[in-house]
Amino acid sequence: MKNKEEIFKLLRESVEDEREAKIVEDLVNKITFTMPPIEVVGEGRVKLDGFVYYQHKNSGHYITHICLHRLIWNYFYGEIPDGLEIHHKDFNPANNDITNLKMLTPAEHHKLHNEARRKKATCQCHYCGKKFDVPYRLRNKKYCSKECLLKAQKMPRSREVKKCPICGKIFETCPSTKTQYCSKVCAGKARTNESLETRTCIVCGKIFQSLKSRNKSLLFA
């Protein structure tokens, strides 16, 4: 496309409200293959278009009502045909850049992952420092043997003092953990607070809070 920067400038200058501005920016992003802004809101949590995505402990994918990588594919290419899957080219489910995604049939997808599982990876023992080979699927293995694992478990662990951002309680945790809250209760409150927004009742004008996922415009007493 010739003179696309001038065309983009004219489009941006022609908008009259935020809705039109968002439509224009989405159009520019799709033409230029620019990723929509993804905000990191915590360990294992990112935010896109008002929704918070949580990283699944087993698969590593970021999910909410839809997997983040599928949403990004939809953003650039439209709906994914039934029966097709989205593959991460570098096998890293946390890397959701559009250039790292590819649409495949389930058979093609499984074949690639099966081939990756047969590959070997080299790890270094966190206890003795010895390098050892493991199947690619175990590439994050920390210890070369059960003996090293048991010895590491017996070592005295250092503790880190943190302050819960929800209740203010001081608590101790291991430095290697990603724990931010003192309890599951506070972690739940944090997730709830992130999904709330302030709205104004269109009838009485009273200000109230509602979940972002709900299309709620009235306040009921």
Side-chain angles (χ1 to χ4, degrees):
M1 181 186 294
K2 296 181 180 179
N3 302 322
K4 59 182 179 182
E5 292 300 329
E6 295 180 7
I7 295 175
F8 295 158
K9 183 179 179 180
L10 290 174
L11 282 172
R12 291 187 174 106
E13 291 176 350
S14 66
V15 300
E16 296 181 354
D17 53 40
E18 293 183 3
R19 184 183 62 84
E20 292 182 355
K22 186 178 186 307
I23 292 174
V24 168
E25 288 305 318
D26 285 344
L27 178 62
V28 172
N29 288 344
K30 292 173 184 179
I31 294 174
T32 60
F33 262 65
T34 301
M35 287 287 294
I38 300 177
E39 178 188 357
V40 178
V41 295
E43 293 292 343
R45 291 178 295 159
V46 297
K47 189 175 183 180
L48 173 63
D49 199 22
F51 291 97
V52 177
Y53 293 79
Y54 301 89
Q55 191 170 29
H56 194 277
K57 291 182 180 180
N58 295 328
S59 68
H61 293 129
Y62 284 94
I63 59 175
T64 180
H65 64 293
I66 182 176
C67 290
L68 181 58
H69 60 284
R70 293 180 68 88
L71 182 69
I72 291 174
W73 185 273
N74 290 350
Y75 179 82
F76 285 99
Y77 295 111
E79 290 294 327
I80 302 170
D82 291 341
L84 296 184
E85 300 175 353
I86 304 302
H87 167 65
H88 293 82
K89 295 179 183 178
D90 64 354
F91 297 93
N92 178 11
N95 181 7
N96 292 303
D97 191 277
I98 186 60
T99 58
N100 188 47
L101 303 179
K102 184 178 182 181
M103 186 165 63
L104 300 172
T105 64
E108 293 171 334
H109 200 183
H110 294 162
K111 182 180 178 181
L112 286 176
H113 279 271
N114 287 335
E115 290 175 351
R117 291 188 186 100
R118 289 194 289 269
K119 294 179 181 179
K120 296 291 184 179
T122 300
C123 301
Q124 187 170 7
C125 182
H126 287 205
Y127 181 79
C128 68
K130 176 183 176 182
K131 292 185 178 181
F132 58 100
D133 292 334
V134 295
Y136 186 78
R137 62 185 176 84
L138 300 176
R139 60 190 179 277
N140 294 323
K141 191 172 182 181
K142 296 181 179 180
Y143 303 102
C144 62
S145 63
K146 288 185 179 180
E147 289 75 14
C148 283
L149 171 61
L150 293 174
K151 290 178 181 178
Q153 290 176 340
K154 293 179 181 179
M155 291 179 63
R157 295 184 178 181
S158 58
R159 306 292 286 177
E160 181 179 0
V161 177
K162 294 184 179 181
K163 183 178 181 180
C164 180
I166 298 299
C167 67
K169 180 181 177 180
I170 304 298
F171 65 101
E172 291 186 351
T173 183
C174 295
S176 59
T177 62
K178 300 177 181 179
T179 304
Q180 296 183 10
Y181 309 101
C182 64
S183 65
K184 291 182 179 180
V185 175
C186 285
K189 289 180 180 179
R191 288 193 293 269
T192 301
N193 292 341
E194 289 172 358
S195 60
L196 290 176
E197 65 179 357
T198 301
R199 299 184 182 183
T200 303
C201 180
I202 61 176
V203 176
C204 66
K206 185 175 180 180
I207 297 176
F208 65 101
Q209 287 190 324
S210 176
L211 293 175
K212 293 180 181 179
S213 59
R214 294 180 180 176
N215 184 20
K216 190 175 182 181
S217 57
L218 297 177
L219 174 64
F220 297 96

